[in-house]
Amino acid sequence: DLVPAGQHCKLFGGNGATPPMIISGLPNGTKWVLVQYNDRDYKPLSTKGGHGAIGFPVKGSNAQLPAIPANASKLPNGIFVASKARGTGKYASKGYLPPCSGGKGNRYFADVFAMSAQNKSIGSARVEMGRY
């Protein structure tokens, strides 16, 4: 599957945001969800939120994570940049960096972690975001 049209970086004419997600089955004790965005095919940005990591406060076992704009450091409703994307130079971002391979077919994914009040992971899943 391809990353949806326009959901890539501004450098290549897009205006990407994080994909909205609906999460169910969060473990008891989940206080927030950490989503780390990565590029499987570009090693420097392939792990631990290479394209940024966003924290979303949640209540209960289900959550709707809204789309978050690219390159934003101030986010609404208690949502926060846990770590900015590691891209540098023209690929630098204050937060999330959308898929930015220029259409080379790189594969993007998100690692999703249920986090406790003590900021420990108590569950995780991987979401494939598509190719760009």
Side-chain angles (χ1 to χ4, degrees):
D1 288 344
L2 297 177
V3 169
Q7 292 301 310
H8 55 281
C9 65
K10 284 190 190 235
L11 188 62
F12 294 105
N15 192 24
T18 64
M21 293 185 201
I22 297 172
I23 298 176
S24 60
L26 289 168
N28 285 341
T30 302
K31 297 296 181 201
W32 60 287
V33 170
L34 174 67
V35 184
Q36 297 177 340
Y37 302 92
N38 301 289
D39 177 346
R40 181 173 283 113
D41 298 300
Y42 182 64
K43 290 288 184 227
L45 304 182
S46 65
T47 62
K48 298 182 181 169
H51 275 253
I54 307 293
F56 299 84
V58 298
K59 289 182 179 156
S61 61
N62 301 316
Q64 288 189 297
L65 309 185
I68 298 301
N71 198 33
S73 58
K74 292 185 175 152
L75 303 171
N77 303 321
I79 300 167
F80 62 96
V81 175
S83 62
K84 67 180 188 172
R86 294 193 302 270
T88 58
K90 62 187 178 180
Y91 295 97
S93 175
K94 296 176 195 160
Y96 172 68
L97 174 66
C100 210
S101 65
K104 294 178 183 166
N106 288 25
R107 297 165 296 166
Y108 295 86
F109 66 96
D111 285 329
V112 181
F113 299 92
M115 304 296 289
S116 71
Q118 295 77 33
N119 298 329
K120 302 282 187 211
S121 174
I122 55 176
S124 65
R126 179 164 285 178
V127 177
E128 297 298 330
M129 294 169 50
R131 289 181 179 269
Y132 171 64

